[in-house]
Amino acid sequence: MTEIRNFSIIAHIDHGKSTLADRLMQATHAVSDREARQQLLDSMDLERERGITIKASAVTVHHRHDGEDFMLNFIDTPGHVDFSYEVSRSLKACEGAILVVDAAQGVEAQTVVNAYLAIEQNLEIIPVLNKIDLPTARPDEIAMEIEQVLGLPAEDCIEVSAKTGQGIDALLAAICTKFPPPRDPLTDKARALIFDAIYDDYRGVVVYVRVFDGRLKVGDKIRMMGLDRTFNVTELGKHTPKPTKVDALGAGETGYLIAAIKMLGDIRVGDTITIDADPALEPLEGYEPPHQMVFCDFYPATDTAGKGADFEELRRAMEKLRLNDSSFTYQAVHSEALGFGFRCGFLGLLHMDIIQERLEREGGVHIIQTAPTVSYEVDVRGKGGKIKTIEVHNPADLPDAGVIEAFKEPVCKVEIMTPKKHIGDLMKLCMDRRGTFKNQMYVSDTRDMLTFEIPLAEIIYDFYDKLKGITAGYGTMDYDITHYRKDNLVKIDILINGEPVHALAVIIHRDRAQQRGRHLLMRLRKQIPRHNFEIPLQAAIGGKIIARETIKGFRKDVTAKCYGGDVTRKRKLLEKQKKGKSRMKSVGSVQIPQEAFMAVLEQE
Amino acid sequence: MPVPDRPVRRLYIHVPFCSHKCHYCDFYSIVDTLDRQRAFTDRLIEELTALAPWSAGGSLCSVFVGGGTPTLLRTELWGELLAAIDRLFDLSTIRAGLGEFTVECNPESATEELFQTLVAGGVDRLSVGAQSFNSRHLHTLERRHDPVNVARALTLARQCGIKRTSIDLIYAVPGQTVDDWAADLGEALSLGVGHVSCYNLTYEPNTAMTKRLGRGDFDPIDEQTEIDMHTLAVATLGGAGLRRYEVSNFARPGQESDHNLGYWRQEQWLAAGPSASAHVAGHRWKNVPRLGDYLKIDDGGFAAIIDHEPPDAPRLLRERVMTGLRLTEGIEASPILEEVRTLGDAAAALSMERLAGVYVARGLMRAGDRWALTDGGFLLADGIAAEFMALIPEST
């Protein structure tokens, strides 16, 4: 009888999760020493460059401990909370989690957020202090940090160096002895949880499953219980780490499944698979589908020669990427300023950055990205006074102020790990961003953890950069969206020459509206070239003007000297001047350059 | 090289020498320390020899020698140059007083001997670079002449028989007031010239003046003062009988620069000397700008050229609109619209007419078939011209 252990490794970026996974596989002889040098679990270029694991995948290895045979299933997780839904769904397939902390860096904000996720799922946690070979390692102090912050006893920490292999045997022993085996089957009907899926150009969708009850066999006609669709299993297998076919997956096991599924949209992660002919009565407890919280627009970039990059090219790149990542959404939009593009929804900021980079890198398209906005909930009074909640992530879609009953925004719990000397400045930063101080926790003699509640809209611009600046790079943060909160939010309309320009409207807290309005107009005044006439710029809430600026009219626009006989030079100047204008957007009779639309989106 | 279908009757010659590079100037010039005047004159005569056949069968109606500072050329070399021009080209129209032969002159370099040589060679018009009569403003411009020498040069020129005179003035010099400018204009009128060019100081890229501006050495004149100065020039000179005929040029009736009008009316002209621009049979090109290259490269007598633009109907039309709108006489609309339609774009012609309608209240006047800018319109000439030009379809 083989014992099974299903577990994940969770860590802050750069704390050595992937190296540790490789080392574990090497120690169990799943990979050669040479292969171990590659970080096997991370397959995308981008992941390697950024040191982030984006897509989870599962690897199975065998290990003997105390004369017993163990099948170890590593379920890889992404290291950033933007992907917390991926972390949680990976954790759903596990009984245990290895929490990796860099013995020199200590507990970071992400470590905390990820550890909380594991604790919420009732997983057994093995704390691991990695990089103990470093001269700067402080294992004893960091173990105390773990005890302080996470309540895991310091003496339970296993000291390892994924780099040298020190402590790996002890860790493997702990995995076998401390992590519980899979629970006993509750039914003989097959039930398997889909915890991940990837799109493969040759094989279609590859589904990662954890079987909880019963068995799945090649040739089975399976049913997705949530989506109520059926497929025929053509292949089952495990990554060892090379893909290895198996005939069946039994209760407690993890592996992959191929069933001629064409698109990621055909399945839903979190769904339960059962056998069509002999179905289970109840699905397994699934998890919430990911919710897009951050939105921005992507437009094909226009180059200086005025050649428009192709909208269709961008669409193709989006479609292709969507096959690989079903957690971002897009829909075609048209902007007055930037033409045709897509409004995209992301799980968070990092997710947005990664999608943009992948579109540019893999799709070969250049993108203009507008500033991100968050997803608001607006209670609208409908016919007969009935209240309806709608989701709004574009100021232009906001209903009339008269019918708005409540305007709610997403609020995050933000954990910040910082050297103590920067606490004052960080407090000020968070307060400036409408934050509410929640907690301050002692981590060590030099560091504290601060907890705030801050509206998501306040952290999506440059909060992270500011935090890094204040703490000289030593501070880390992570956030988790916890709830929607009603607040005094308003839409600022921008009027140019008396006409409202939708692409320039913003949603903001009323207390900051005046300041923001003034700032917007100042930016616009710098960006819009002078015209033959005076252009009033106004910021308004409802019908009320809260700020104004004026672009003075051009009153003189003539070259004194027509350069003797050098007509060519003069002509080219005028043609260039006019070409510049063709890249501008006309609002009424005012020409607004593309840059103006971008610049106003920047923070003060 | 293009072959004109009719003789070219205008000639521009560029003399690149200067005693000093003025800080606002971006014309090609060098401070000649190697004495390359002899070599230049020989090469120039060679080039003129090569160009002359294009003028054969027609007498020249205008010659303009600009620079640089043409009057820095030694008198004996002037003698040789003028003799060569007389030998190579037909100057009968000019000698009969029906054409125009202009030389640009620095007030410091005027001598009786030089002027007599010029007159003997057919020169009948002198354009003196006065720029200002205020020493302080001349200093700002890095002009190193004594203002009294302007009057001296003009008197001397007239005594030697040069009938037509013009002076150049620059306004909106940093530190200049409207009163200072009024004084300059008064001084200019007192000299009895029949022609005045008033140029708003322009900060050209890569000039010392522009660098100084960038460094914050001085504040530029504000826009309103520039407009006031511009308006003052139109009123003062107009009141004295010097009518504006181009954005920056004023003349008593009949004293307009015929040579410059030729440029602006898109006529043909030959060009000789480094950096000189020519327009022949729809082609435009420029001679190599550097004196060293000009002396070295000899393409069967012709100079090496750069920036050649072959004939292109839409381009020529855009240029016609651009330079034409800078003239008080404006442009003749129907032939231009007809040509736009011939280019296969009736919609563009319609748009141009519509645009003209839009601008009627904003600086354009329509008198019969002519579209011309008003005084107010001249202040916005670049933007207006650019809009019309943009409507002319590109060649396919």
Side-chain angles (χ1 to χ4, degrees):
Chain A
M1 179 65 196
T2 301
E3 289 268 355
I4 298 175
R5 295 291 181 267
N6 292 303
F7 61 96
S8 283
I9 307 177
I10 52 181
H12 180 85
I13 291 171
D14 280 343
H15 280 200
K17 182 179 68 172
S18 298
T19 319
L20 182 63
D22 293 344
R23 181 60 75 172
L24 286 171
M25 278 186 271
Q26 194 186 3
T28 56
H29 311 292
V31 291
S32 67
D33 290 351
R34 188 172 51 80
E35 282 173 321
R37 278 186 213 123
Q38 317 285 333
Q39 297 194 348
L40 275 165
L41 290 177
D42 298 353
S43 59
M44 272 180 283
D45 287 354
L46 195 60
E47 291 181 12
R48 207 159 295 151
E49 270 173 36
R50 293 190 151 212
I52 307 166
T53 310
I54 301 166
K55 292 302 280 186
S57 54
V59 171
T60 301
V61 295
H62 286 271
H63 180 63
R64 281 195 77 77
H65 177 74
D66 263 357
E68 268 187 275
D69 190 28
F70 282 83
M71 177 199 285
L72 308 182
N73 296 316
F74 291 69
I75 292 153
D76 202 16
T77 58
H80 191 277
V81 77
D82 268 9
F83 305 95
S84 70
Y85 86 103
E86 288 194 9
V87 175
S88 1
R89 76 191 188 193
S90 300
L91 297 180
K92 277 271 179 190
C94 302
E95 281 79 38
I98 297 174
L99 177 70
V100 182
V101 179
D102 186 314
Q105 306 274 342
V107 175
E108 299 291 3
Q110 269 170 35
T111 322
V112 178
V113 172
N114 281 327
Y116 285 168
L117 290 173
I119 292 165
E120 273 167 33
Q121 311 247 358
N122 282 320
L123 298 194
E124 184 67 37
I125 296 176
I126 300 176
V128 167
L129 300 171
N130 191 20
K131 307 193 189 178
I132 54 160
D133 57 304
L134 290 181
T136 51
R138 301 168 288 139
D140 295 342
E141 282 172 53
I142 306 302
M144 280 314 295
E145 285 190 9
I146 292 173
E147 183 167 322
Q148 280 290 340
V149 179
L150 301 169
L152 301 167
E155 66 266 23
D156 286 3
C157 290
I158 297 177
E159 298 184 9
V160 307
S161 165
K163 196 171 147 204
T164 65
Q166 186 184 346
I168 295 296
D169 288 341
L171 176 57
L172 277 169
I175 289 169
C176 296
T177 57
K178 278 192 75 178
F179 284 153
R183 67 157 170 74
D184 292 330
L186 303 176
T187 162
D188 58 350
K189 316 278 189 202
R191 289 201 296 182
L193 181 76
I194 302 178
F195 65 86
D196 199 7
I198 59 157
Y199 178 80
D200 180 296
D201 280 342
Y202 302 102
R203 300 187 294 176
V205 176
V206 179
V207 179
Y208 287 89
V209 295
R210 157 77 194 268
V211 182
F212 279 89
D213 305 296
R215 278 171 89 73
L216 294 179
K217 299 187 302 296
V218 174
D220 279 346
K221 185 176 185 188
I222 54 168
R223 167 177 295 276
M224 308 290 185
M225 295 183 75
L227 289 180
D228 201 23
R229 300 187 57 161
T230 57
F231 298 95
N232 286 308
V233 177
T234 57
E235 184 180 328
L236 290 170
K238 293 165 183 260
H239 290 282
T240 64
K242 295 185 189 89
T244 309
K245 292 180 188 174
V246 297
D247 297 329
L249 289 173
E253 290 187 65
T254 56
Y256 68 84
L257 175 154
I258 295 169
I261 304 167
K262 290 200 183 66
M263 294 191 305
L264 280 176
D266 292 341
I267 61 130
R268 205 179 68 210
V269 171
D271 207 346
T272 301
I273 293 175
T274 189
I275 305 294
D276 189 45
D278 184 19
L281 296 175
E282 291 281 321
L284 294 161
E285 189 194 326
Y287 18 75
E288 298 272 304
H291 193 59
Q292 287 73 37
M293 295 307 297
V294 174
F295 289 81
C296 78
D297 294 354
F298 287 158
Y299 293 94
T302 315
D303 62 23
T304 40
K307 270 226 177 89
D310 208 86
F311 171 75
E312 283 306 318
E313 234 171 273
L314 180 57
R315 182 201 291 280
R316 277 194 293 278
M318 293 273 208
E319 281 167 355
K320 193 164 166 237
L321 193 54
R322 168 89 184 159
L323 288 175
N324 280 305
D325 183 348
S326 56
S327 58
F328 87 98
T329 58
Y330 64 93
Q331 75 186 93
V333 287
H334 181 260
S335 147
E336 301 161 53
L338 303 164
F340 285 97
F342 294 96
R343 171 138 281 239
C344 306
F346 311 94
L347 304 172
L349 289 174
L350 181 73
H351 190 210
M352 177 175 75
D353 286 352
I354 286 174
I355 294 289
Q356 189 198 337
E357 278 193 44
R358 287 188 64 185
L359 281 173
E360 296 204 325
R361 184 181 306 213
E362 295 165 27
V365 287
H366 284 285
I367 293 173
I368 291 181
Q369 183 201 314
T370 63
T373 61
V374 303
S375 181
Y376 295 93
E377 276 183 10
V378 184
D379 290 349
V380 181
R381 221 174 309 115
K383 281 193 189 118
K386 223 179 140 194
I387 304 290
K388 198 176 74 180
T389 302
I390 58 167
E391 192 186 306
V392 172
H393 46 71
N394 185 349
D397 298 339
L398 203 63
D400 211 48
V403 302
I404 295 178
E405 191 67 21
F407 203 155
K408 291 177 279 188
E409 63 178 338
V411 176
C412 311
K413 184 178 170 195
V414 180
E415 313 276 11
I416 299 171
M417 201 66 75
T418 176
K420 287 189 201 291
K421 61 181 170 188
H422 303 302
I423 288 174
D425 291 337
L426 282 177
M427 288 277 186
K428 184 174 182 311
L429 172 69
C430 294
M431 295 303 163
D432 284 351
R433 302 297 178 100
R434 296 191 282 133
T436 313
F437 172 73
K438 286 287 171 193
N439 193 26
Q440 179 168 358
M441 190 192 267
Y442 171 90
V443 175
S444 69
D445 288 347
T446 53
R447 296 197 310 159
D448 270 11
M449 183 167 84
L450 306 176
T451 309
F452 287 88
E453 249 182 36
I454 304 177
L456 180 62
E458 298 286 343
I459 60 175
I460 58 173
Y461 286 101
D462 56 352
F463 184 84
Y464 185 65
D465 293 341
K466 287 257 157 68
L467 175 134
K468 282 285 176 197
I470 287 171
T471 61
Y474 285 106
T476 59
M477 68 165 274
D478 214 334
Y479 67 93
D480 204 5
I481 294 154
T482 52
H483 61 288
Y484 272 80
R485 188 173 68 197
K486 185 181 164 182
D487 215 329
N488 195 356
L489 302 170
V490 291
K491 178 169 89 159
I492 304 182
D493 285 309
I494 300 295
L495 291 84
I496 295 179
N497 212 17
E499 289 190 51
V501 182
H502 295 306
L504 295 174
V506 291
I507 293 172
I508 190 139
H509 192 272
R510 188 179 289 275
D511 290 352
R512 295 159 64 92
Q514 178 123 23
Q515 185 194 354
R516 181 78 177 147
R518 231 181 324 208
H519 173 75
L520 280 175
L521 296 189
M522 258 151 58
R523 290 251 177 192
L524 274 179
R525 200 188 59 183
K526 283 193 197 126
Q527 291 288 337
I528 299 177
R530 293 170 67 191
H531 285 55
N532 286 345
F533 47 90
E534 190 169 284
I535 306 167
L537 306 176
Q538 295 161 303
I541 298 174
K544 189 171 167 266
I545 305 297
I546 56 163
R548 70 177 78 227
E549 287 277 346
T550 306
I551 299 173
K552 287 220 172 75
F554 232 155
R555 297 174 47 226
K556 183 163 167 294
D557 175 23
V558 57
T559 313
K561 204 161 187 174
C562 202
Y563 305 110
D566 194 354
V567 173
T568 304
R569 177 171 154 191
K570 168 81 177 157
R571 190 194 76 241
K572 285 186 172 163
L573 275 173
L574 291 188
E575 285 170 349
K576 201 167 127 200
Q577 178 183 331
K578 197 62 202 174
K579 274 228 177 68
K581 279 193 183 160
S582 71
R583 288 182 61 225
M584 297 197 196
K585 165 70 201 162
S586 290
V587 173
S589 44
V590 181
Q591 307 276 331
I592 308 176
Q594 256 182 19
E595 297 75 33
F597 288 88
M598 306 304 297
V600 295
L601 301 168
E602 288 160 23
Q603 275 289 48
E604 282 103 288
Chain B
M1 277 290 178
V3 180
D5 53 6
R6 55 200 148 82
V8 183
R9 299 188 58 198
R10 298 187 189 276
L11 170 65
Y12 174 74
I13 294 172
H14 192 84
V15 178
F17 306 113
C18 277
S19 57
H20 160 74
K21 181 90 188 169
C22 303
H23 278 196
Y24 58 90
C25 175
D26 75 330
F27 284 87
Y28 178 68
S29 66
I30 50 162
V31 177
D32 184 25
T33 50
L34 299 172
D35 191 10
R36 290 187 285 186
Q37 291 206 4
R38 160 55 61 196
F40 166 72
T41 309
D42 290 348
R43 179 69 191 88
L44 182 63
I45 292 170
E46 248 179 58
E47 190 189 8
L48 289 170
T49 309
L51 289 171
W54 291 359
S55 185
S59 65
L60 290 180
C61 56
S62 72
V63 179
F64 194 105
V65 186
T69 310
T71 45
L72 273 189
L73 199 65
R74 289 196 295 278
T75 306
E76 98 244 24
L77 297 176
W78 261 114
E80 288 179 33
L81 172 59
L82 291 167
I85 294 172
D86 207 6
R87 188 175 70 244
L88 295 164
F89 295 90
D90 178 352
L91 293 181
S92 59
T93 303
I94 289 169
R95 289 207 185 273
L98 300 170
E100 178 182 297
F101 193 151
T102 306
V103 172
E104 283 185 341
C105 171
N106 177 318
E108 303 281 82
S109 52
T111 63
E112 190 176 346
E113 190 198 2
L114 171 65
F115 285 171
Q116 277 165 354
T117 306
L118 296 181
V119 171
V123 173
D124 59 8
R125 187 170 179 273
L126 196 71
S127 172
V128 180
Q131 318 313 354
S132 175
F133 298 98
N134 180 315
S135 309
R136 193 158 57 90
H137 302 325
L138 283 172
H139 180 77
T140 307
L141 296 170
E142 286 276 321
R143 288 286 301 193
R144 294 182 177 171
H145 68 255
D146 183 338
V148 301
N149 284 333
V150 174
R152 193 187 63 84
L154 289 170
T155 308
L156 192 59
R158 288 183 195 118
Q159 283 168 358
C160 294
I162 296 177
K163 296 184 196 74
R164 295 169 60 194
T165 49
S166 171
I167 60 169
D168 284 0
L169 295 176
I170 293 181
Y171 65 92
V173 179
Q176 191 181 29
T177 64
V178 176
D179 286 347
D180 292 345
W181 175 230
D184 272 352
L185 287 168
E187 189 79 26
L189 286 173
S190 75
L191 295 173
V193 289
H195 186 280
V196 179
S197 301
C198 298
Y199 297 115
N200 190 326
L201 176 65
T202 307
Y203 295 93
E204 301 289 353
N206 308 319
T207 58
M209 199 79 184
T210 302
K211 285 198 188 85
R212 282 161 58 197
L213 176 71
R215 276 204 308 262
D217 288 1
F218 51 77
D219 290 327
I221 294 290
D222 68 88
E223 185 178 57
Q224 187 53 52
T225 308
E226 285 191 351
I227 293 171
D228 292 347
M229 289 178 170
H230 176 104
T231 311
L232 183 68
V234 176
T236 308
L237 296 174
L242 278 81
R243 197 183 63 101
R244 164 149 67 175
Y245 69 101
E246 194 262 357
V247 170
S248 306
N249 287 279
F250 302 80
R252 294 189 191 287
Q255 297 275 301
E256 296 86 358
S257 166
D258 182 60
H259 184 84
N260 283 335
L261 280 171
Y263 290 159
W264 300 326
R265 289 171 177 159
Q266 303 296 307
E267 292 177 19
Q268 306 191 91
W269 67 88
L270 299 173
S275 84
S277 301
H279 183 215
V280 177
H283 294 257
R284 289 190 188 278
W285 70 86
K286 214 172 153 171
N287 282 356
V288 284
R290 295 171 56 87
L291 180 60
D293 295 337
Y294 177 75
L295 293 178
K296 209 161 54 200
I297 307 168
D298 185 337
D299 181 10
F302 292 105
I305 63 166
I306 57 169
D307 298 342
H308 174 222
E309 293 188 297
D312 174 66
R315 168 178 67 77
L316 290 164
L317 267 176
R318 284 198 296 276
E319 290 167 352
R320 214 158 115 193
V321 169
M322 176 183 83
T323 56
L325 282 177
R326 293 177 63 86
L327 294 172
T328 303
E329 67 186 25
I331 52 177
E332 219 179 323
S334 57
I336 290 178
L337 295 173
E338 186 49 41
E339 275 202 58
V340 171
R341 277 189 285 269
T342 313
L343 291 173
D345 203 333
L350 208 61
S351 303
M352 288 177 74
E353 284 187 281
R354 235 180 255 136
L355 186 62
V358 168
Y359 271 112
V360 160
R362 288 171 31 205
L364 190 79
M365 57 186 171
R366 283 186 295 199
D369 193 31
R370 288 215 160 259
W371 295 355
L373 297 179
T374 61
D375 282 346
F378 274 124
L379 281 169
L380 301 168
D382 282 7
I384 297 174
E387 291 209 36
F388 279 106
M389 288 161 71
L391 291 174
I392 297 170
E394 296 281 333
S395 49
T396 43

